[in-house]
Amino acid sequence: MKHRRLLGVAGAVGALALIAFIGVAAASSSKSSHAQRAAATIPAPKVPNAAAIKRKYGGQTITFVGDSVGNGHVRDTALAKQFTKNTGIKVKVVPHPAASDQSYAQLARAFSAKSSSIDVAMIDVVWPGAFAPYLVNLKPKLGKQSKLHLASIVANDTIKGRLVAVPWFGDYGILYYRTDLLRKYGYSGPPKTWTTLFQMAKKIQDGERGSNPNFAGFVFQGNAYEGLTCNALEWIASAGGGHIIDNGKVTINNAKARTVLDSIRAQIGKVTPQGVTTYQEDQTEHAFDNGDAAFARNWPYQYGIGAGAGSKVKGKFSVTVLPHGASGKSVGTVGGWQLAVSRFSKHQGASIELVRYMTSPAVEKFDAITNSNVPTIVSVAKNKAVVKANPYLKPAIASVPRVTRPAKFLGANYNEASKVVYQGINQILTGAPASQVLPQIKSRLEQILKSK
């Protein structure tokens, strides 16, 4: 979600811990047929007030930089096609880079150049403050509709009184596990602690390797990118090691953080594939849904892929909260995406109408049912059809404490700081002891904080 310096990141991200009742999922490019079939069964919602929009903006063309993870691009294309059909506004859908820090850099370059090449963009939950100067204030046109969404996210997307983005869907880290294999190897339920997960993963892996040499006990996002910052935050916080930066002070170099990071490192090449240090979301999902892993840490989007036609683990898995350390408790890193309109767009009116449509209750319902993304509108999350399509919405998962990346302390420098974190953690995963790496991360983060 970050790459280099640019303006200030919102401090209200911490309020997203209030997202405490939803858990969802999506789909992957390798199984896009599932999303396409779902979309065909449930057509994209029609655009309200389309005739008036067509009279005003019909014939205009806008570019939407949208999703690329799972079947997000399939969803975006279906919605754009319906929007164009109803309004006459042509929408060019361009998927952003899969790694969110690269996506950030793409937008940063366009905004810095005052380019009109991007009209609407999906932005990460920790980007509104950084990009605020480059985004249209949506409050006059979409302020009323934004009140349908969780107030904590709307607050996060409001910078100095300007609504610079509207919530689209939420996210948080969860654990996927093979129910059939737990039963096969005598386990009554998923692991509660990291130590237990490693023990269970080793036993299952040893048993399955006879018939599947590629089988792994546990997979996650270990590549040096923003996803690893999210994973590392979960590991450290769940072990009682803090949140990287607490109350404005860098806290990552502590005994509990060292212990949990070294314990993760010790599993590389043992119960995780050696190549997990190059995995991002899709590689994690592929390994699990192809039947090559017992456990996986990923975002809720993966659930829909595993439950879809073509998945080798359909009906054989479930989800739960992530494990915790000996002196901590389970947590999940807050994620989520918003939609924003560029100040440099030559078609701001048409772009705002696309955002209005894409963040409406009807579209959130469509997205939750066909693509299993987390609704940010409470009424949609409670809708019977949504709940039926997503039966894994369990109170135990929904109420897990959320942890937020330290964007509010780093402001414009968050991307630079996150890069320090994920590169350092990747060094640990590839063999360096935490005791050698964490002091370096701490020193560099302190320097970044001073330069803020």
Side-chain angles (χ1 to χ4, degrees):
M1 315 198 172
K2 351 280 143 206
H3 187 316
R4 64 181 181 196
R5 294 189 182 182
L6 212 100
L7 317 185
V9 179
V13 176
L16 288 176
L18 296 177
I19 307 174
F21 63 98
I22 319 171
V24 207
S28 156
S29 56
S30 67
K31 303 181 180 68
S32 61
S33 59
H34 167 64
Q36 290 166 340
R37 282 193 295 272
T41 304
I42 305 174
K46 293 183 179 180
V47 181
N49 201 31
I53 297 172
K54 189 171 187 177
R55 285 194 297 270
K56 196 168 185 179
Y57 305 115
Q60 295 184 9
T61 299
I62 60 177
T63 297
F64 169 43
V65 177
D67 213 345
S68 62
V69 175
N71 280 331
H73 184 61
V74 174
R75 172 206 58 213
D76 293 349
T77 302
L79 291 170
K81 184 177 180 180
Q82 182 68 47
F83 185 78
T84 297
K85 177 181 179 182
N86 291 167
T87 68
I89 300 170
K90 298 178 182 178
V91 181
K92 180 182 178 182
V93 181
V94 180
H96 65 56
S100 53
D101 44 353
Q102 294 176 17
S103 176
Y104 179 95
Q106 175 193 56
L107 295 179
R109 288 192 295 269
F111 292 151
S112 296
K114 298 182 179 181
S115 172
S116 61
S117 62
I118 296 172
D119 297 285
V120 178
M122 63 180 289
I123 64 174
D124 196 310
V125 71
V126 292
W127 296 352
F131 288 146
Y134 305 116
L135 303 176
V136 171
N137 179 15
L138 301 174
K139 200 169 188 176
K141 296 289 183 69
L142 302 181
K144 183 177 179 180
Q145 180 168 305
S146 72
K147 293 179 181 179
L148 298 173
H149 297 262
L150 286 166
S152 57
I153 312 181
V154 175
N156 177 77
D157 297 342
T158 303
I159 309 299
K160 295 182 180 179
R162 299 173 66 247
L163 181 67
V164 299
V166 179
W168 194 19
F169 60 86
D171 240 345
Y172 51 85
I174 55 178
L175 181 72
Y176 293 78
Y177 65 95
R178 288 282 298 276
T179 52
D180 59 332
L181 295 181
L182 262 62
R183 287 193 299 270
K184 179 178 178 180
Y185 291 92
Y187 296 114
S188 60
K192 302 293 185 183
T193 67
W194 292 111
T195 298
T196 304
L197 181 147
F198 301 146
Q199 293 170 346
M200 294 171 65
K202 181 68 165 60
K203 182 177 180 179
I204 297 172
Q205 176 181 279
D206 288 348
E208 294 300 300
R209 280 278 175 91
S211 59
N212 182 359
N214 295 321
F215 194 86
F218 177 48
V219 290
F220 58 89
Q221 297 80 57
N223 195 9
Y225 80 118
E226 182 66 18
L228 182 52
T229 296
C230 297
N231 278 251
L233 176 59
E234 289 165 347
W235 298 334
I236 295 170
S238 71
H243 306 86
I244 301 176
I245 298 176
D246 293 277
N247 299 318
K249 182 179 179 180
V250 180
T251 59
I252 192 171
N253 185 27
N254 64 77
K256 292 179 179 178
R258 290 191 292 271
T259 296
V260 72
L261 291 173
D262 281 337
S263 71
I264 298 292
R265 173 175 55 83
Q267 308 307 317
I268 305 299
K270 293 183 179 179
V271 302
T272 74
Q274 195 71 43
V276 78
T277 56
T278 68
Y279 280 23
Q280 296 187 13
E281 282 84 0
D282 280 349
Q283 290 79 20
T284 303
E285 177 271 312
H286 295 341
F288 189 83
D289 291 333
N290 285 336
D292 293 331
F295 299 97
R297 181 275 177 204
N298 212 341
W299 306 100
Y301 89 92
Q302 179 177 312
Y303 191 95
I305 305 172
S311 168
K312 293 183 180 180
V313 299
K314 182 179 180 180
K316 301 177 181 179
F317 77 97
S318 189
V319 293
T320 187
V321 297
L322 291 164
H324 57 79
S327 57
K329 56 186 178 181
S330 297
V331 300
T333 295
V334 169
W337 294 84
Q338 344 293 311
L339 295 183
V341 175
S342 170
R343 264 186 51 209
F344 309 113
S345 167
K346 295 180 179 179
H347 304 292
Q348 292 184 15
S351 298
I352 289 172
E353 292 305 325
L354 177 64
V355 173
R356 186 195 305 278
Y357 171 65
M358 299 280 269
T359 61
S360 66
V363 169
E364 282 219 347
K365 179 180 176 182
F366 170 82
D367 191 18
I369 293 174
T370 65
N371 204 41
S372 300
N373 272 324
V374 181
T376 57
I377 298 175
V378 177
S379 60
V380 175
K382 294 181 178 180
N383 180 274
K384 290 183 179 180
V386 171
V387 174
K388 182 179 180 181
N390 301 291
Y392 59 90
L393 298 176
K394 304 173 182 177
I397 299 175
S399 61
V400 70
R402 307 293 197 266
V403 288
T404 56
R405 286 158 284 171
K408 66 180 180 180
F409 300 114
L410 292 157
N413 302 333
Y414 174 77
N415 302 306
E416 179 185 0
S418 183
K419 187 174 182 179
V420 169
V421 172
Y422 63 66
Q423 288 184 339
I425 301 300
N426 187 261
Q427 289 175 15
I428 294 173
L429 296 181
T430 53
S435 60
Q436 292 182 10
V437 177
L438 292 188
Q440 299 172 17
I441 294 178
K442 178 176 182 290
S443 176
R444 293 181 65 186
L445 291 180
E446 288 175 341
Q447 293 174 2
I448 293 171
L449 278 174
K450 290 179 181 178
S451 67
K452 185 182 157 194

